[in-house]
Amino acid sequence: MKKRWLGLGGFTLAVVALLALWAFLPSGPKHHPEMESGSSNNQIKTVTQSSTTNSSTTVRWNQGKDNQLAAFMAKWGAADKKTYAKYNGNSDLVTASGTSYPTGFSAAFVGMRSVSMGWTDTGSGNYDYNVVAVYNYNQPKDLGRTTYAFAFHEGKPVVLINQTMEGPDNWTVAKDTTLKSRFVEIVNGKLAVGN
């Protein structure tokens, strides 16, 4: 019995000594208010739920906006007597150059700089350019093509144009101010129906 008492007393003494030493270390015990409300698992769940909620609010594009852009592109093309084919979300859109989209985005350049470009239904993604719509016009007798990619770059709407027939698949920022401003208006929900 005496040995047991010394073993328990020795253990208690060792624990007290370690706690005293820990309290005097420069990185000793600190007050963490976030730990008072519950276990660390609850805190992690809160952060995860918050992150999930935040990412769902970054939906920049939806079917309604896609329909508005389609209506605008039909009117805009008709003014120049051009009919633009729209990528339908299923089958690749084939251009006069032979490039197909969205598959062709994997070898894309913007301003002759290699970038990551890819299709997304929401406008959010991990690409440099998250494309939400593609429209193409092939000139008669395969003399050329004009392809527009409506995308988000660093969270901001951008319209890219590609008229490449040979060489690297190079996109540039479209210069047409009407096209760019209408896309921004649609993204921001400010385009009146029929415009």
Side-chain angles (χ1 to χ4, degrees):
M1 182 79 169
K2 196 173 187 178
K3 284 185 178 181
R4 191 171 189 191
W5 169 248
L6 285 175
L8 184 58
F11 174 75
T12 305
L13 184 59
V15 169
V16 170
L18 284 174
L19 287 174
L21 180 62
W22 183 54
F24 290 105
L25 290 174
S27 62
K30 293 183 174 87
H31 179 68
H32 294 284
E34 67 272 14
M35 301 302 278
E36 290 178 356
S37 62
S39 73
S40 61
N41 288 340
N42 288 340
Q43 186 66 26
I44 292 170
K45 285 179 186 173
T46 303
V47 170
T48 302
Q49 289 170 351
S50 174
S51 297
T52 302
T53 303
N54 289 342
S55 67
S56 67
T57 60
T58 59
V59 174
R60 298 176 176 102
W61 196 250
N62 59 38
Q63 189 60 49
K65 292 177 180 183
D66 193 59
N67 292 342
Q68 284 184 322
L69 181 60
F72 168 74
M73 287 300 290
K75 281 177 98 174
W76 189 75
D80 286 336
K81 297 184 172 115
K82 295 178 181 175
T83 302
Y84 284 86
K86 177 184 185 282
Y87 170 62
N88 63 14
N90 296 316
S91 304
D92 271 3
L93 181 65
V94 181
T95 68
S97 69
T99 306
S100 300
Y101 298 107
T103 305
F105 290 143
S106 63
F109 289 81
V110 173
M112 294 307 292
R113 196 181 110 243
S114 181
V115 296
S116 66
M117 210 169 161
W119 179 259
T120 171
D121 292 326
T122 63
S124 298
N126 295 323
Y127 301 106
D128 295 325
Y129 292 86
N130 295 292
V131 180
V132 294
V134 182
Y135 287 83
N136 180 67
Y137 171 73
N138 288 328
Q139 293 179 13
K141 300 181 184 179
D142 293 333
L143 295 176
R145 57 96 174 221
T146 302
T147 309
Y148 290 102
F150 295 83
F152 289 89
H153 176 62
E154 297 176 352
K156 296 180 180 151
V158 63
V159 181
L160 301 173
I161 184 172
N162 190 332
Q163 295 177 308
T164 307
M165 288 299 287
E166 296 178 7
D169 192 43
N170 189 46
W171 295 83
T172 58
V173 175
K175 292 184 173 133
D176 187 291
T177 55
T178 301
L179 191 60
K180 293 190 303 188
S181 64
R182 289 297 184 268
F183 182 51
V184 170
E185 288 171 3
I186 291 169
V187 167
N188 293 330
K190 296 182 180 177
L191 182 67
V193 176
N195 287 335

